[in-house]
Structures are given as structure tokens and as C-alpha cells.
């Protein structure tokens, strides 16, 4: 109760805030309408065009600030007409309450600027946007097209109606000076509702009442109301109480009349109009409800007369049901908004022979059989239970005389009772129609009901001629209608057609319809033909046997000879197969069909219990050969049913125990042993405790929901904000985040990149978290290489993709990626080198999963290594990668295609080697080139001598390394496999080599060439013209030499004489001439020239230093990495001659 009062109080406060906001804006619009701006306004065409475009896009909350700012700053006089049209278009895009209020503020600002030119035109266009549709044009359209047009119109008019309602409250739309525009809104709604016989505009009224029932109708929610208003309430009393504010808790909604934005007479008229419209809708709902029930009754009668239901009737019935449900939902919405009671919908009790409406017919008795659906029941699930137990009763579908049931008297009494009930329903419908026709048209709303009543009369008159829709039962529309002219065919031809249709009856509805059709053809000869047909099912169509068993079970209730004869045939066939036990392969399919048919008939209770137990005992007596297969199929087919049925569970349990004893004493091959175990546990599964679901805290569940469910491209910013708002100081929160961010295999594969993006965004605020994530990912990759468990392969692929995405977002450098590449192809192999066809416990020759991991990493970030030293590193790795693949067994087709696609994506022109010899030679050349580039000396004659010499040269360093290993035994860096690039033996010079004079000259030459090529003049003229211009403007050789000889002399002359010398180039004929000019140092030309020269020199030196330092740093890093990796031992590749 306290929660309800609090909610009502909060709602009243919100309504009060809206009323105050509307009153303030109304006062502002009234006092400042037509007031001239106090500042100069901009008349720029560009800004006016941008404003109109922005208004046309939307006048919602996103553009509000900018639009209001432009309205105050621009003149706008010449563009009023364009602005009016743009405002109407932008209004149609306002979906939320904030957007609607933003549109009202924009329109109010324009109204205050141009009350005489803007406002009348706007109101006229808004009225046109809310005009009702042309009924004649809609009537000419098909039904589906008309429904689409109505839905589009309602979606277009809904935001416009909300904006107009607000404009009427803030004083822009007015009925007269000093009055609000509520009457204008009421008339607009009245036209929309009165010209809408199909009630397609009803959602507009619902939208209006949800937001404006308080200001326009004066309705306030009662103190304690339910969503569904009781039908026992008097019509109009609840809304009257709500309006008057009677009851506890209404003081919060009481408002003085002076503060109301809508006049009292308008509120009363508006409220009466809405209540009368609701009464009309309620009466139409009652009529539609009775029509639906009447149609259901007619369906039953038509089915009794003709014996079948057509597809068009089913479609018509479904359409009528959808229309009724839509009307019911709309009526309930109006009832809740107006606080008026729902009408009483009469119910008609169906007799046992009637057809029930809806698809839930088969589940009516579910409560009675709830105990059978448990885990220990005879059925595995509810669907299986319905299939084997919910059998169609032919008495409800076929005349009793056809089935041989003599109860004419009782049938006559039922027919008379149905006739009287039908007459009562028709009288009730006519009475309601007369009430609707007699309603007055004072408010103009009842025209809807009058037209609807006329339509209903016409529809009722044509019901007898129209196709009758079928109820949603399993047999509805099940069977294909018989071809035209079936009346002229005899029973034999009809039975032949029915039997030909049976192989296509593969669901409950079709097979039930086939049973009904056969009942109309019932005769002794027909039953014999049916039994013969069922006993000759093709041995490869065992999927039909459950449905044929259902057909037999349906007919067996009234035609017991069908089931008896079929069971006798199957029993005889089983005995024959027992005599032919030695014929195994030829009769295998026949045995499967026979046992499967018997098992399904057992579950339908067609096969007597003594017979199925006898069959099981016969197979158990000779528990060998084909009888082992027979027992396994019997257990899988009906063992669960027999073990849990009251009449058979004791005897069948003893047989199962005997079977288990014989199974333990006899010797069976592996196939038979496995088959018997599976069949036994299928019919008698072991008792297991329910799986314990891991308990997680609400915060952990929220974090998992964000990453696993919410994360997408559109919501990544929202997820980032929510994650940042978490309590990062809480260790449990950080632990949960770390778990989620380090398990990329638990999210969608396509979202792994988004997870890496989140990690990158969080690095700015929590760098230690990102470092921990990267470290854990590397640990997982290392663990996968060490364990190589098949069940974790999917995780390893996701982790490798995650690593590549982390590199793309700069959370790790390229050296880690290349270390991972080399680890994938060298880890676990002796001395870090794979050998052709040589087994390795962690990477067998027939294990290609590491190749998949390399391809995954290449596909993710391989395209980033396309220039510089990284390009050379990747080329070297791809060379060794080909050697690694050729050391394996021949690649499967899918792996080969994956490798070719990955390599083609990063190196389309890469040469692929055909055999391991070519690859080995290429690897040797690669390492030799690496030695030469690093400036190291190698000797192919005595590798061991160099290694020992290297060890002697660095004894202290090895001791230091040993100490580090003892101090950090679990360091992942120390455990990491050595890269094959560490095949370098010898001393590495640590001398720092700076750029030489030749390199400086080469750099200056290339820089000058780049500047010349990128100049603007070289882009505007062709090569010959550019060469001519350069030749004509270059200094003569003598002047160039003099200038070079002077060198730094300009600075001394500048200091001593206070002048700066310039060289003036003139041209006489084709010969350039120069002369020297002395310009005072204080002049602007000299100062600017000197400043420009100094800036160019500084910039050139800075650029030179950056380039040279970058190359020097790259070389130093490579040399240091090579020296570090040399300690792990060299990789020596020898090709056995």
C-alpha cells in the first residue's frame, strides 16, 4: 500500500512539473509574441540553408540547442514558408517525450518571432497532416495493402498529434483569444475516429490518453486501482471518481480551476466523447466475440456434414482470430486509461463433440497427467506423451452411425439442444445490433458503430455461403482435399487414393485426418486392405512406423480387428525371423522394421502385454547373434514404457535383471556390449543428482551480462561507461572483470575484437588491468603449447585471435607477436628445430593444429607487417613456416586451403616451396643473410667450437642467467622457446656506429629530391615544362661557386656592415646574369629571409636527427635481440645427403 501511494505521489509530482512548464511557456508565448529582436541579425544564405536542413532532419532534443541559437541569431524573414514545411517534417520524427517538448520549444521560438506569418501556416499544415484517410481510396485497395496503409498513417500521425496537443496547451493553437486550443484537438480526434469503421485510428487515441488524459479530460488515477477494471463497476463511475478526486490519496492531484490549462466545458465534452467511443468499441468487441463463437459452432456442423475441413476456412478463421485479439487488446488499453470497466464477454460451454478453438486443445488434460512428465515417467518429454496418449476420438469427428454406434435418441436430443442454443445466440446478436443502431449521433462518434453494425449484418447474411474457417486443432488443414468429382468415384477408388496418401502423412495432424477419412470408408474389405498395406511398409521407411501405429491406435477403438490382425501378422513375421536367425545381413532391415513396429504399437497399447513380454523372453532365451540386436532395439523402443507401466514393471524388471546376469556371463564383441549398455541405460537411466549451478554474485552476473549479452558495435560505448562506473577498488569486482576479459572463447567469435577494444579503452584509466590481461593471454597460449589438449582447441583459436586484436589496438608490440609466431613452429621440438616426419610428443607430424593457430594470427594482424624491418621479419618467418609445414604429413584439404588463403592475404606474390629440400635451402640462405646483415662471422666447419668459445667468452653472464633462473623459476620469459632467429654464433659488436659523411650527403640529396617532386609547380606542369623552368631559374655555375666559397661570410658581413647581400638573377636572351645587392639588415626583407633560413635549417636538422636515430635504434634493438637469443643455443639445419 505504501509503495502504491509513493508511486502515485511521484506521478502527481511529474504531472505538476509538466503543468508548470507548460504554463510558463504559455505565458512567454503570450507576452513576447511579435517582439522585435534587440540585436542585429545575420542574413547569411549559408546559415539559413543549414538551419532549414537541420530542422527538416529533426527538431528533437539532439538539435534543440543549435536550432534555438540560430533562430535568435538569424533574420529568417525571407524563409518563413520553407521553415514551416521543414518544421512539419521534423515534427514527424519526434518519438520520445523529450523530442516532443523540444519541438514545442522550437515552434514557440518561431511563433514569438513571426506570430502572423509563421503560426497560421504551421497550424494549417498540421491540420492537413492529421486529416482522416480517404475511405473510397482505401476501399479500392486489397485487404493487406489497406492494413499496411493504415499502419503507416498511424505511425506518421502519432508524433504530430502529440506535438499539436502540446501546442494547444502552450497557447500557439487557440480556439479563440484567451482560450486554449483543446477544442481544435478534440475536433481533430473526432474526425479521425468517426471516419474509421475499421478502428485503425484507435492507437492514436490510446497514445493521446497516455500522455494527456489529465490536462484534456481531467482524469486522475484513483487511490488504488488495478490494471484490469472490474466488470462489476458501473460504467463511468471510476472515471468520474478520478476526475472529481474522490478517495484517499487524491489530494495530490487536486488543482485549482484557475491553474487548469484547458477550460472545464471542453474537458467535460472531451471526456464524454472518449467514454462514448469506448462504449462503442466495447459493444463491437462483444459482437466480434459472439461471431467468433458462432463461427466455431458452424465449423463443427460443417465438419459433421461434409467430413472434412478446407484450407481456406482455416485461413479465414485465423484471420478472424487475429482481428479479435487486436480489438481485445485495444479495448483493454482504453479501459485502463479511462478507468472504465471491460464489457462482459459471454462464454459458451462446448460439449464433448465440439471442436475447441486454438492450438492448445491437446493440453487440456495436462494437469491430470502431470505425474507422467517427470524425469522418472514413462515418457521422455511432453511432446512424446501427447503423441502416444492424446489419441483422436473418432466419435467426435464421424457420425455414430458410420462407426456402428446406435444412439439415435441421444443424438437427436443433442441436436435439439444445439439448435436452441444457436437461436438464443442469434437473438442476443440481433438485440445488440438494435442497440447500436439506436444510439444517438450527438458527438458524431457513434457513426463508427452504426457502420460496423451494417457491415456485421452483411457478413452474417453471407456466412452460410462463405467458406467456413477451421479451428486450430491438429486435424485443421491436415489432409489434402480430394480432387473434384470425388462424388462420382466409388469407395474403392477413394480408399486407393487414401492409401497412396499415407506415406506422406508424417505428422500428427495428417495421420489423424487420414484416420477420419478412413472411418467414412469403413468396411470389412477396406479394413483388410488397410491391414495388408500397413504390413507391407518398405523396409527403408521406418520413420513412418510411429505414425502408422497412431493410425492403428485411433481406428482400433472402434475397429478392433485392424489392430488384432496387424499384430498377428507382425507376430508371425517375428517367428519367421527367429527361424531364419542365421540369415543376418539379408534380413537385417526386416528385423529392424518388425521390432520397431511392435515397439510403437506396444506404446499405443495395441500389442497385448503378454505378447511383448513373450517376444522379449524368446529373444532372451537365445541370447546370441541377431537376438542381441533385437533385445537392444526392444529396450530402446519400448523398454522405458514397460519398465514404468503398472501392469508390466515387475515382470519386465525381472527380465532386465536376468538379461544383465546373462550379459555378465557371456562373451560379446565390443559392438554388442556397447549396444546393450546404451539400450539398458536408455530405458533405465541411473539416478543422478541435479546439476549444481554455480552461484554468482549479482555484480558478477551484471558484468557477464554486459560482456556476453549486451556488447556489440552499437553498445560498446555504453558498456565502457558502465564498466568504468564499477567499484574498481573492490578486489572481487577486479577479479570478475579479469576472468571475463581473459576468456575470449566465452563470447561470440565476432565480438573478440570488441573485447580487445574495451581493453584498450580501459588502459587509459586502469593500465595495470590491461597489462594483467595481456600477460594472462600470453600465459594461456603458452599453456596450450605445453599441454596440447584436444578439448581446448577452440579456446586456443579464440585466444590467438584475441592476441592479434590486442596487437592491433597497440596493447603489445610486434616483438611479442613474432615471438609467438616462432614459438608455434619451434616449441617442443629437439633444440627448437622441427625435423621432417620426426615424432614430437607435443607436436606430432599428423597434428596440424599449430598451423591453424598461425593462420589465425596471420589473418588477424598479418596485414600490419607490410613495411620496414617488420616486413623482413614476417618474410623470414613465412620461409621457416613453409619448412615447418613440409616437415609434417601431407596437409588435409581444409588446412591447405586455410594456409593458402592466409598467405595470399599477407603476401600474394610469395613463392611456395614444393619439397622440404627447397625449403631447407631457403632457410639456410635466410640465416646466412641475417648473419651478414648483423656483421657476425660464422664458420660452417666447426659449429661446436664456436659454441664452446662463445661459452668461454661469457662465463660470468651465464652465471648471472643461472641466478635469475633460480630466483624466478616460473618466469614465462625464461620458459619461452628460443626464436629460430637466434641461430647466431660469435661475438656481437656493441660499438655505436653513427652516420658517416657520405650518409649525410645522401640524406641531403634525397631530401632535396623529395621537396622538388612534392612542390606545387611540379604537379601543375608536365615534365618538360618543369625542367625548362628549373633550368631558367637556376643560378649560373660561376655564381653558385662564388656563393659556396663565401660560405659563412654572410654572417660576418651582416655583423660588421649591417647589410645582407642578395643575388639578383636577370636574363638577357637565353643567358642568365647575376649581380649582388646590399640590403640593410633592419629591413623587413632581410629579417624575414634570415628568419626563414634559420627555421628551415632547424627543421632540416630535426628531421635528419629523427630519421637517423630511428634507423640507429632499430639496428641496436635487432642486435641486442640477436645477442639475447644466442644464449638459447643455435638452430643448425643440415640436409642429409
Amino acid at each position: 500500500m505504501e509503495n502504491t501511494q509513493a508511486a502515485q505521489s511521484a506521478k502527481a509530482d511529474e504531472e505538476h512539473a509538466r503543468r508548470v512548464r507548460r504554463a510558463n511557456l504559455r505565458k512567454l508565448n503570450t507576452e513576447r509574441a511579435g517582439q522585435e529582436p534587440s540585436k542585429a541579425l545575420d542574413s547569411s544564405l549559408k546559415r539559413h540553408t543549414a538551419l532549414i536542413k537541420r530542422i527538416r532532419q529533426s527538431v528533437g532534443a539532439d538539435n534543440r540547442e543549435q536550432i534555438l541559437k540560430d533562430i535568435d541569431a538569424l533574420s529568417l524573414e525571407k524563409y518563413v514558408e520553407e521553415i514551416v514545411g521543414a518544421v512539419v517534417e521534423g515534427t514527424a520524427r519526434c518519438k520520445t517525450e523529450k523530442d516532443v517538448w523540444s519541438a514545442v520549444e522550437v515552434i514557440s521560438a518561431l511563433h514569438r518571432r513571426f506570430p502572423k506569418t509563421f503560426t497560421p501556416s504551421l497550424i494549417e499544415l498540421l491540420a492537413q497532416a492529421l486529416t482522416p484517410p480517404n475511405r473510397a481510396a482505401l476501399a479500392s485497395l486489397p485487404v493487406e495493402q489497406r492494413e499496411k496503409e493504415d499502419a503507416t498513417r498511424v505511425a506518421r500521425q502519432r508524433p504530430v498529434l502529440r506535438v499539436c496537443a502540446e501546442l494547444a496547451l502552450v497557447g500557439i493553437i487557440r480556439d479563440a483569444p484567451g482560450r486554449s486550443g483543446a477544442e481544435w484537438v478534440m475536433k481533430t480526434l473526432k474526425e479521425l475516429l468517426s471516419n474509421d469503421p475499421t478502428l485503425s485510428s484507435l492507437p492514436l487515441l490510446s497514445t493521446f490518453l497516455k500522455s494527456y488524459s489529465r490536462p484534456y479530460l481531467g482524469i486522475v488515477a484513483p487511490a488504488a486501482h488495478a490494471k484490469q477494471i472490474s466488470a462489476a463497476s458501473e460504467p463511468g463511475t471510476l472515471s468520474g471518481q478520478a476526475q472529481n478526486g474522490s478517495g484517499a490519496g487524491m489530494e495530490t492531484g487536486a488543482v485549482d480551476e484557475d491553474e487548469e490549462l484547458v477550460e472545464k466545458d471542453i474537458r467535460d465534452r472531451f471526456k464524454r466523447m472518449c467514454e462514448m467511443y469506448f462504449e462503442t468499441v466495447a459493444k463491437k468487441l462483444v459482437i466480434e466475440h459472439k461471431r467468433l463463437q458462432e463461427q466455431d459452432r458452424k465449423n463443427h456442423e460443417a465438419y459433421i456434414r461434409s467430413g472434412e475441413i478446407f484450407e481456406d476456412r482455416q485461413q479465414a478463421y485465423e484471420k478472424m482470430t487475429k482481428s479479435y485479439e487486436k480489438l481485445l487488446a485495444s479495448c483493454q488499453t482504453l479501459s485502463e486509461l479511462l478507468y472504465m470497466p471491460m464489457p462482459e464477454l459471454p462464454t459458451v460451454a462446448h460439449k464433448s463433440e465440439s471442436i475447441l478453438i486454438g492450438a492448445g486443445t491437446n493440453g487440456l488434460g495436462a494437469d491430470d497427467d502431470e505425474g507422467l512428465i517427470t524425469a522418472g515417467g514413462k515418457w521422455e518429454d511432453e511432446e512424446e506423451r501427447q503423441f502416444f496418449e492424446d489419441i483422436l476420438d473418432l466419435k467426435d469427428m464421424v457420425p455414430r452411425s458410420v462407426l456402428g454406434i446406435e444412439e439415435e435418441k441421444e443424438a437427436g436430443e443433442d441436436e435439439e439442444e444445439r439448435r436452441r442454443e444457436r437461436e438464443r445466440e442469434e437473438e442476443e446478436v440481433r438485440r445488440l445490433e438494435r442497440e447500436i443502431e439506436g444510439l444517438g449521433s450527438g458527438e458524431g462518434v457513434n457513426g463508427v458503430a452504426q457502420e460496423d453494425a451494417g457491415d456485421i449484418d452483411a457478413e452474417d447474411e453471407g456466412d452460410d455461403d462463405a467458406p467456413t474457417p477451421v479451428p486450430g486443432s491438429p486435424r485443421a488443414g491436415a489432409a489434402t482435399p480430394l480432387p473434384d468429382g470425388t462424388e462420382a468415384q466409388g469407395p474403392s477408388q477413394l480408399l486407393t487414393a487414401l492409401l497412396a496418401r499415407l506415406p506422406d502423412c508424417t505428422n500428427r495432424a495428417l495421420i489423424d485426418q487420414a484416420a477420419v477419412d478412413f472411418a467414412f470408408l469403413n468396411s470389412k474389405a477396406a479394413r483388410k486392405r488397410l491391414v495388408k498395406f500397413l504390413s507391407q511398409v518398405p523396409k527403408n521407411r521406418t520413420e513412418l512406423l510411429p505414425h502408422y501405429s497412431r493410425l492403428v491406435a485411433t481406428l482400433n477403438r472402434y475397429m478392433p480387428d485392424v489392430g488384432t490382425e496387424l499384430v498377428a501378422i507382425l507376430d508371425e513375421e517375428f517367428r519367421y525371423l527367429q527361424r531364419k536367425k542365421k540369415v543376418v545381413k539379408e534380413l537385417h532391415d526386416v528385423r529392424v522394421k518388425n521390432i520397431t513396429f511392435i515397439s510403437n504399437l506396444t506404446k499405443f497399447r495395441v500389442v497385448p502385454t503378454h505378447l511383448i513380454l513373450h517376444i522379449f523372453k524368446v529373444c532372451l532365451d537365445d541370447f546370441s547373434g541377431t537376438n542381441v540386436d533385437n533385445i537392444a532395439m526392444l529396450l530402446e523402443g519400448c523398454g522405458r514404457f514397460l519398465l514404468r507401466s503398472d501392469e508390466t514393471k515387475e515382470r519386465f524388471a525381472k527380465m532386465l535383471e536376468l538379461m544383465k546376469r546373462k550379459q555378465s556371463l557371456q562373451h560379446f564383441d565390443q559392438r554388442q556390449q556397447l549396444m546393450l549398455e546404451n539400450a539398458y541405460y536408455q530405458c533405465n537411466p541411473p539416478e543422478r543428482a541435479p546439476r549444481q549451478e554455480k552461484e554468482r554474485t549479482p555484480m558478477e552476473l551484471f558484468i557477464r551480462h554486459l560482456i556476453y549479452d549486451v556488447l556489440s558495435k552499437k553498445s560498446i560505448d555504453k558498456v565502457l561507461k558502465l564498466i568504468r562506473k564499477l567499484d574498481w577498488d573492490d578486489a572481487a569486482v577486479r577479479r570478475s572483470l579479469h576472468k571475463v576479459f581473459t576468456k575470449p572463447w566465452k563470447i561470440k567469435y565476432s565480438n573478440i575484437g570488441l573485447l580487445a577494444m574495451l581493453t584498450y579503452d580501459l588502459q587509459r584509466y586502469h593500465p595495470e588491468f590491461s597489462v594483467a590481461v595481456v600477460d594472462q593471454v600470453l600465459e594461456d597460449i603458452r599453456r596450450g603449447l605445453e599441454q596440447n589438449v584436444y578439448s581446448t582447441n577452440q579456446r586456443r583459436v579464440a585466444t590467438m585471435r584475441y592476441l592479434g586484436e590486442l596487437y592491433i589496438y597497440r596493447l603489445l608490440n610486434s616483438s611479442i607477436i613474432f615471438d609467438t609466431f616462432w614459438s608455434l613452429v619451434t616449441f617442443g621440438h629437439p633444440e627448437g628445430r622441427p625435423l621432417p616426419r620426426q615424432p614430437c610428443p607435443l607436436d606430432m607430424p599428423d597434428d596440424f593444429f599449430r598451423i591453424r593457430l598461425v593462420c589465425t594470427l596471420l589473418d588477424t594482424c598479418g596485414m600490419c607487417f607490410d613495411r620496414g624491418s617488420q616486413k623482413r621479419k614476417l618474410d623470414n618467418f613465412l620461409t621457416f613456416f613453409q619448412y615447418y609445414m613440409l616437415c609434417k604429413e601431407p596437409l588435409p584439404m581444409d588446412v591447405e586451403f586455410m594456409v593458402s588463403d592466409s598467405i595470399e592475404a599477407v603476401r600474394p606474390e610469395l613463392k611456395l616451396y614444393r619439397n622440404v629440400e627447397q625449403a631447407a635451402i631457403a632457410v639456410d640462405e635466410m640465416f646466412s643473410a641475417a648473419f651478414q646483415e648483423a656483421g657476425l662471422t660464422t664458420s660452417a666447419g666447426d659449429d661446436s667450437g664456436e659454441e664452446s668459445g662463445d661459452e668461454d667468452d661469457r662465463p660470468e653472464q651465464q652465471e648471472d642467467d643461472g641466478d635469475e633462473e633460480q630466483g624466478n623459476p616460473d618466469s614465462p620469459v625464461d620458459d619461452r622457446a628460443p626464436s629460430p632467429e637466434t641461430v647466431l654464433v660469435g661475438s656481437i659488436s656493441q660499438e655505436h656506429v653513427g652516420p658517416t659523411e657520405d650518409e649525410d650527403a645522401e640524406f641531403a640529396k634525397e631530401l632535396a629530391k623529395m621537396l622538388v617532386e612534392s612542390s606545387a609547380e611540379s604537379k601543375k606542369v608536365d615534365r618538360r615544362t618543369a625542367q625548362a623552368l628549373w633550368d631558367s631559374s637556376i643560378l649560373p655555375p660561376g655564381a653558385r661557386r662564388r656563393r659556396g666559397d663565401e660560405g659563412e661570410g654572410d654572417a660576418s658581413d651582416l655583423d660588421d656592415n649591417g647589410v645582407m647581400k642578395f643575388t639578383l638573377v636577370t636574363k638577357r636572351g637565353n643567358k642568365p646574369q647575376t649581380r649582388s645587392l646590399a640590403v640593410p639588415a633592419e629591413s623587413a626583407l632581410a629579417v624575414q629571409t634570415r628568419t626563414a633560413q634559420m627555421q628551415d635549417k632547424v627543421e632540416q636538422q630535426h628531421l635528419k636527427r629523427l630519421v637517423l636515430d630511428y634507423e640507429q635504434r632499430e639496428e641496436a634493438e635487432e642486435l641486442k635481440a640477436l645477442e639475447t637469443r644466442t644464449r638459447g643455443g643455435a638452430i643448425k639445419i643440415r640436409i642429409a645427403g
Side-chain angles (χ1 to χ4, degrees), residues 620-658:
L620 196 57
D621 290 341
D622 186 9
F623 196 31
S624 62
T626 57
N627 281 337
V628 176
D629 297 350
N630 293 340
I631 286 182
M633 287 187 289
L634 281 172
L635 291 178
E636 292 177 357
C638 60
R640 184 186 182 100
F641 175 82
L642 295 173
L643 191 60
R644 286 163 175 78
S645 297
D646 294 336
E647 60 271 18
T648 57
K649 61 182 179 180
E650 294 182 1
R651 287 177 288 175
F652 192 72
K654 294 179 181 179
M655 290 185 177
L656 276 182
E657 185 179 355
L658 177 61

Side-chain angles (χ1 to χ4, degrees), residues 16 21 232 241 256 296 298 421 426 434 439 597 688 704 833 918 1055:
H16 176 70
R21 184 174 57 184
Q241 294 174 4
D256 295 338
D296 182 36
K298 289 183 178 180
E421 185 178 351
E426 291 175 354
R434 286 196 300 269
L439 290 175
F597 212 162
R688 290 185 179 179
R704 292 169 62 89
R833 57 177 181 269
Q918 294 181 0
D1055 295 337

Side-chain angles (χ1 to χ4, degrees), residues 832-851:
R833 57 177 181 269
L835 298 176
R837 307 295 191 275
Q838 181 172 345
C840 174
L842 297 179
D843 190 18
M844 298 299 289
D846 58 349
D847 184 4
F848 309 99
F849 186 70
R850 289 194 184 184
I851 299 177

Side-chain angles (χ1 to χ4, degrees), residues 560-837:
D561 54 337
V562 174
T564 303
E565 293 181 8
L566 181 61
V567 170
I569 293 175
L570 293 175
D571 184 31
E572 183 62 30
E573 184 180 36
F574 174 77
R575 295 175 186 273
Y576 168 77
L577 293 173
Q578 284 296 307
R579 294 192 296 269
K580 299 291 184 179
K581 285 185 293 186
K582 295 183 180 181
V583 184
V584 179
K585 294 184 178 180
E586 292 79 359
L587 297 178
H588 173 72
D589 293 336
V590 180
R591 290 190 179 90
V592 172
K593 184 198 73 171
N594 179 265
I595 297 298
T596 304
F597 212 162
I598 292 175
S599 300
N600 283 280
L601 289 173
T602 301
K603 289 190 284 188
F604 280 108
R605 302 180 187 275
V606 175
V607 175
T609 56
H610 67 86
L611 179 59
I612 186 64
L613 293 176
H614 173 72
I615 292 175
F616 193 83
K617 184 177 181 300
V618 169
C619 296
L620 196 57
D621 290 341
D622 186 9
F623 196 31
S624 62
T626 57
N627 281 337
V628 176
D629 297 350
N630 293 340
I631 286 182
M633 287 187 289
L634 281 172
L635 291 178
E636 292 177 357
C638 60
R640 184 186 182 100
F641 175 82
L642 295 173
L643 191 60
R644 286 163 175 78
S645 297
D646 294 336
E647 60 271 18
T648 57
K649 61 182 179 180
E650 294 182 1
R651 287 177 288 175
F652 192 72
K654 294 179 181 179
M655 290 185 177
L656 276 182
E657 185 179 355
L658 177 61
M659 184 202 76
K660 292 296 290 181
R661 287 204 301 268
K662 284 194 172 186
Q663 181 181 353
S664 61
L665 295 176
Q666 294 182 226
H667 174 72
F668 297 104
D669 58 28
Q670 185 176 2
R671 182 190 69 85
Q672 292 176 331
Q673 190 75 22
L674 183 62
M675 187 168 51
L676 288 174
E677 291 293 332
N678 290 340
Y680 175 77
Y681 286 114
Q682 185 170 347
C683 76
N684 186 25
E687 295 293 336
R688 290 185 179 179
R691 182 178 179 182
Q692 295 294 333
E693 186 176 359
K694 184 178 180 181
E695 294 184 1
R696 293 185 172 91
T697 62
M699 179 57 67
E700 187 176 359
L701 293 175
F702 175 70
I703 294 173
R704 292 169 62 89
H705 171 68
L706 286 180
I707 302 301
Y708 297 157
D709 303 331
V710 180
L711 183 61
S712 64
K713 291 183 180 179
K714 296 182 179 179
S715 63
I716 185 170
D717 294 334
K718 176 182 177 182
V719 173
L720 176 62
K721 291 179 181 179
L722 292 174
I723 291 178
R724 287 183 55 198
K725 291 180 180 179
L726 298 177
D727 185 10
W728 284 80
D729 296 332
D730 189 355
V733 173
R734 294 180 68 90
R735 186 165 55 252
S736 299
L737 286 170
H738 185 269
K739 287 182 180 179
V740 172
F741 275 81
T742 55
K743 295 180 180 180
W745 56 85
K746 289 192 175 184
I747 66 174
K748 296 180 181 178
Y749 190 75
S750 57
N751 285 352
I752 293 179
L754 301 179
L755 189 63
M757 188 186 302
L758 273 181
T759 310
Y760 168 74
D761 292 334
L762 290 173
Q763 183 187 23
R764 182 187 308 174
Y765 312 101
H766 306 282
E768 69 284 353
F769 175 77
S770 300
V771 171
V773 169
V774 173
D775 185 64
Q776 185 62 44
V777 170
L778 294 174
E779 287 290 336
D780 292 341
I781 294 175
R782 180 73 176 193
R783 186 182 303 111
L785 292 175
E786 293 173 350
Q787 296 176 353
N788 194 27
V789 180
Y790 176 78
S791 60
T792 62
N793 283 357
Q794 189 173 2
R795 296 185 178 187
R796 295 173 65 186
V797 171
T799 306
M800 196 61 64
R801 166 77 184 276
Y802 192 31
L803 181 70
E805 296 288 350
L806 291 174
Y807 170 76
I808 291 177
Y809 288 102
R810 299 177 296 178
L811 289 169
L812 44 89
N813 54 29
S814 61
S815 62
I816 296 179
I817 298 296
F818 283 106
D819 283 347
T820 305
F821 273 134
W822 287 102
S823 298
L824 290 173
V825 296
T826 61
F827 182 82
H829 291 277
E831 299 182 2
R833 57 177 181 269
L835 298 176
R837 307 295 191 275

